[in-house]
Structure formats: structure tokens, C-alpha cells
Amino acid sequence: MGLRESKKQETRQLISDCATRLFIEQGFERTTIAEIATAARVAKKTVTNYFPRKEDLALDHHEAFTQGLAHAVAERAPGEAPLAALGRTFRATLLAHDPVVGFTGPAFARMVADSPTLTARLRELHDQREEALATALTTAADPTPSDTSSDTSPDTRPNTDAPHTAPAADSPSTPSTPSAPSIAPRAAAALIAAADRLLFRRIQELTLAGQDDDRIEATLLPEADHLRALLAAALGDHPSAATW
């Protein structure tokens, strides 16, 4: 990273830190952009250049959040099912007490819970997280077909000049494997995202109830395992389960 880019990152972090402190002290709705600019010692325009939406000053990890599930699917190990990759990734973030999955601390959690604007924005981010996951699952279920322009396999088209021979009456037919409907990845994403939302809310609830991160981790590990089992049962019998 060059000096210019490093300076921009420092300024962005400074603005975010000042904004978060003021939001916690005064409340999100009561805090103005002018107050944030004064606290960070920058111009109001600088604040809005870095953060076009006021909500993003508080929820400044929104890009990592919205792309988190999709990234876990896209970057999974060869041969690893998406559901397994998602479970592994969530467990890692849970053990790391990652703020992206809800470990924000009681003051921040209370600030979000008390703000209708931030609560609504968080719902939007969860929706975007689901949409990104649906796109990733669609790609996983329907990879880009290979180029067949140089295909040298034998021509298996029927010979229309040859006399037609009816199949034997007692010849057994091979049942075809049903293909997944096009809505399948979106349905899977909806189920997975619902479980993800529940776990996020659970972490926030326990945080607001006064539990520390280690106790929350101990509570969430078996609960997350239970949800994964429910998802596996819901998706496991589907024809495209090997892909999910």
C-alpha cells in the first residue's frame, strides 16, 4: 500500500472512530455530520466523500458483511460443499469473536438497537447478504460451460436414413435424474440467510443481556451446530445437494 492510500485509510478510520464515539454518547439520530467533522478535524465534505450514507459511519464493515457468505462459497476448498464451507467459516468467525457476525460490544449493540434508522439499515444489509449468497450458489450450481467448439467426440445423432426399430417391450428404461429448478439456489440462500440472521440476532441479544464474548461463544457453538443440522436435513435430499 502506497503512502497516499495509507493516509486515506487512516483518515477513513479516524472519521469512523469519531462518529462511533459520538453515536454511542449522543445517539445516532441526534449526532450531526458537522459534529463528526469537527471531532475528526476534517471538512463536512470529507466525511461525506468517505461515507455517502450516515448509517455507514456506524456500520462501516458493511462491504465485508454483505459479501461474507458469498465469499465463503466462492473461496471454498476443491470438492467442499457450500453448506460445509459456510459452517466452517461461521465457526471460525464465532471463535474469533468477529464484529461482522455480531460481536460488537454492549455499547454499540445498544446504540444500534435504539436507532430505527440503523435497525432498518441492518435489515437492508442482511437482504444484500442473502442476495450475494444466492448469486454465489447459482454460480456454484451452474458453472460456466466449457467451450465445445473443438469437440472431437463421435457424432451420436440418430441416422434418419436407417430403418426405425422400436425398443423391445420388456426393455427396462433408465430413470432420469431430476434437475434442480432455477429457483433452487435462491431458496437455499433464503434458508441459510434466515439461520444467519437468527445467529446474528442471538449474539446481539446475549450481548445486551450482559454476557461476555466467551460465554456467548459457548452458547452459540451448539446452537450453530443445531442450525447446520436443520439446514442439512432441509437441503440434503435435494437433487443438487452435492452442489450445495
Side-chain angles (χ1 to χ4, degrees):
M1 182 184 297
L3 181 61
R4 179 182 176 84
E5 187 62 29
S6 178
K7 180 63 176 176
K8 289 173 64 177
Q9 291 283 16
E10 290 176 3
T11 301
R12 188 181 193 281
Q13 189 61 53
L14 173 64
I15 294 171
S16 176
D17 290 346
C18 289
T20 300
R21 176 177 58 80
L22 289 173
F23 291 154
I24 290 174
E25 291 175 354
Q26 304 177 172
F28 178 82
E29 271 74 18
R30 293 182 57 192
T31 302
T32 67
I33 297 297
E35 289 175 321
I36 295 168
T38 299
R41 297 184 179 181
V42 299
K44 285 177 59 178
K45 185 174 179 58
T46 301
V47 175
T48 56
N49 282 342
Y50 280 96
F51 299 94
R53 296 183 61 159
K54 182 183 174 184
E55 301 96 301
D56 293 339
L57 282 158
L59 306 173
D60 59 329
H61 295 292
H62 62 279
E63 291 183 3
F65 180 78
T66 56
Q67 296 300 316
L69 299 178
H71 186 267
V73 172
E75 301 298 323
R76 69 192 188 282
E80 185 179 26
L83 190 57
L86 289 165
R88 174 177 52 78
T89 301
F90 178 80
R91 187 179 183 86
T93 56
L94 182 63
L95 294 175
H97 302 167
D98 194 330
V100 172
V101 296
F103 286 96
T104 59
F108 191 93
R110 175 54 59 194
M111 180 261 292
V112 173
D114 288 344
S115 169
T117 303
L118 289 179
T119 300
R121 177 57 174 159
L122 189 57
R123 284 197 298 268
E124 291 178 3
L125 294 177
H126 274 293
D127 288 343
Q128 292 174 20
R129 186 168 164 93
E130 178 183 332
E131 291 169 5
L133 174 60
T135 299
L137 290 176
T138 299
T139 300
D142 185 20
T144 302
S146 59
D147 183 10
T148 58
S149 60
S150 59
D151 187 9
T152 58
S153 59
D155 186 357
T156 58
R157 291 175 296 177
N159 183 357
T160 56
D161 295 330
H164 175 69
T165 303
D170 58 350
S171 174
S173 60
T174 302
S176 59
T177 301
S179 60
S182 59
I183 201 173
R186 291 170 57 190
L191 291 172
I192 295 167
D196 181 70
R197 284 185 177 91
L198 178 58
L199 291 171
F200 187 95
R201 287 198 299 268
R202 186 80 169 118
I203 293 172
Q204 294 281 284
E205 289 168 0
L206 294 175
T207 298
L208 291 173
Q211 295 191 19
D212 62 30
D213 288 351
D214 288 337
R215 187 176 175 187
I216 294 172
E217 173 195 315
T219 300
L220 263 288
L221 281 172
E223 293 183 352
D225 288 342
H226 179 67
L227 285 179
R228 277 199 299 274
L230 292 176
L231 288 171
L235 302 174
D237 291 334
H238 199 278
S240 62
T243 305
W244 291 347

